[in-house]
Every structure is written in C-alpha cells, then in structure tokens.
Amino acid sequence: MILTDEEKRRTYEEAQDLARAETEESLEQAMELFRSIRGFQDADRQYIACRTRLGQMRWKAESAMLKEQEDRFEAKVKRWKKIGLVSLAVLLLCIAVVTTVTLIRFRQYNKAAEFFTAGEYERSAAAFQAMGDYQDARARVFMSAVELYKAKRYEEALPYFVWLDGYPDHGYFLQHCQERLAAGK
C-alpha cells in the first residue's frame, strides 16, 4: 500500500512520539513505523537511532540482571566462607580440647604409674581409680591393691577390692582382707 505524504507525515510524528516514550515496546513500535515510511525525511536514521536505543536499553537491563546475579553469588560465597571458617574454628577447637584432655589423661596415667613404681601403692590405686576405664587403669588398681595386701595394709586395700567388683580374682582378695581385718591382723 502506498501512503500519501500526509499519511507519511502523521506516521512519522506518531513514530517520533513513540520513540520519546523510551520503553522497549514503544521503541519497537516506533521502529516498525519508521520502517514503513523508509526514505521519508530522516525515517531511516530515526529507525537506526531507535534500534540503537533499544539495544542499549536491553544491554543495560541485562547488565543490571547480571550484576544482581553476581552480587547474589558473591553474597553466597561470603556466607559459605564464613560457614567454612566457623566450621574450621570449631573443628580446631575440638581437636585442641581432645588433645588437651588426652594429654592430661596421659600425664595422670604416667603420674599414677610413677606412684606404683615408687612403692606408693595407695596413691597409685587412688590415681588409677580416678581414671575409671582409661586404658588398663582397672588392672593397675588391682595390682596396687594386691601390693597393699601383700604389705598387710588390708584396711587400705579393702576399698579398692570393693570398687573392683566383678574384676577377676578380686573376690579372693576382698574376702581375705575382710577376714584379716575381722581377725585384727
């Protein structure tokens, strides 16, 4: 369809009005109108200007969206870094606590063993008893109590044999301690 100059002028003005609105939809409509009147005044140049502005608008919108996604990703990375650092700190703290407790128990065990070696059987038995089920502490309590028994220190040995309830041979020594104490020996 061939347009008259008056129709082209009205189309041109309508296209210019749409181009000023600066929305994607209005620029697309303006481009369509400028394309329909090619060769009229500077319609071709206006078409290119609208297409350029539309491209810039889309690029800005896409850039903003990418920036927002980038910001969200960076926030997640920061959050995970914090979680990782806190987890690492907690892990290191746990390792430090376990190591400290282990070292303390190891030193207590060695100190109790030193008491036994030095012939301080009551202190040895008490120290090993305080350690409960740590390593062979029950066996060491038994050995210390037997040494007290051999030294005829029945009154001191008796509570350890009572504590060793269920330990092999404790009953024999418990009974003999009780008998010796009852007999006054």
Side-chain angles (χ1 to χ4, degrees), residues 127-166:
F128 281 119
Q129 182 183 28
M131 298 181 77
D133 289 330
Y134 182 75
Q135 291 186 8
D136 64 346
R138 287 179 60 86
R140 297 291 190 128
V141 170
F142 181 75
M143 290 173 17
S144 298
V146 167
E147 291 300 323
L148 289 170
Y149 175 84
K150 287 179 185 177
K152 300 182 192 274
R153 295 168 58 187
Y154 307 118
E155 195 171 315
E156 296 166 356
L158 182 65
Y160 299 111
F161 288 122
V162 171
W163 181 78
L164 287 164
D165 187 33

Side-chain angles (χ1 to χ4, degrees), residues 21-158:
E22 293 290 330
T23 66
E24 285 186 31
E25 187 179 329
S26 67
L27 285 173
E28 286 172 351
Q29 289 173 355
M31 286 170 50
E32 204 51 48
L33 291 175
F34 283 127
R35 192 177 334 168
S36 71
I37 56 170
R38 283 187 178 181
F40 181 77
Q41 294 182 0
D42 65 344
D44 295 336
R45 191 177 62 76
Q46 292 294 331
Y47 170 82
I48 292 171
C50 287
R51 195 170 87 188
T52 302
R53 282 197 312 256
L54 181 62
Q56 288 172 342
M57 285 176 71
R58 287 180 177 162
W59 181 81
K60 283 180 184 177
E62 200 171 296
S63 293
M65 183 182 71
L66 288 174
K67 175 70 172 133
E68 183 181 323
Q69 288 175 350
E70 212 174 85
D71 291 346
R72 275 187 274 157
F73 178 75
E74 285 179 17
K76 283 181 183 179
V77 167
K78 284 180 183 177
R79 185 172 50 245
W80 281 108
K81 280 182 181 179
K82 285 179 185 176
I83 290 170
L85 288 173
V86 168
S87 298
L88 180 62
V90 168
L91 177 65
L92 290 174
L93 180 64
C94 289
I95 290 171
V97 167
V98 167
T99 302
T100 302
V101 168
T102 302
L103 285 173
I104 289 170
R105 298 289 296 235
F106 180 73
R107 286 184 182 151
Q108 288 172 339
Y109 184 88
N110 285 342
K111 188 67 175 170
E114 287 175 18
F115 291 146
F116 185 85
T117 304
E120 299 179 40
Y121 302 117
E122 187 173 5
R123 287 180 78 185
S124 172
F128 281 119
Q129 182 183 28
M131 298 181 77
D133 289 330
Y134 182 75
Q135 291 186 8
D136 64 346
R138 287 179 60 86
R140 297 291 190 128
V141 170
F142 181 75
M143 290 173 17
S144 298
V146 167
E147 291 300 323
L148 289 170
Y149 175 84
K150 287 179 185 177
K152 300 182 192 274
R153 295 168 58 187
Y154 307 118
E155 195 171 315
E156 296 166 356
L158 182 65

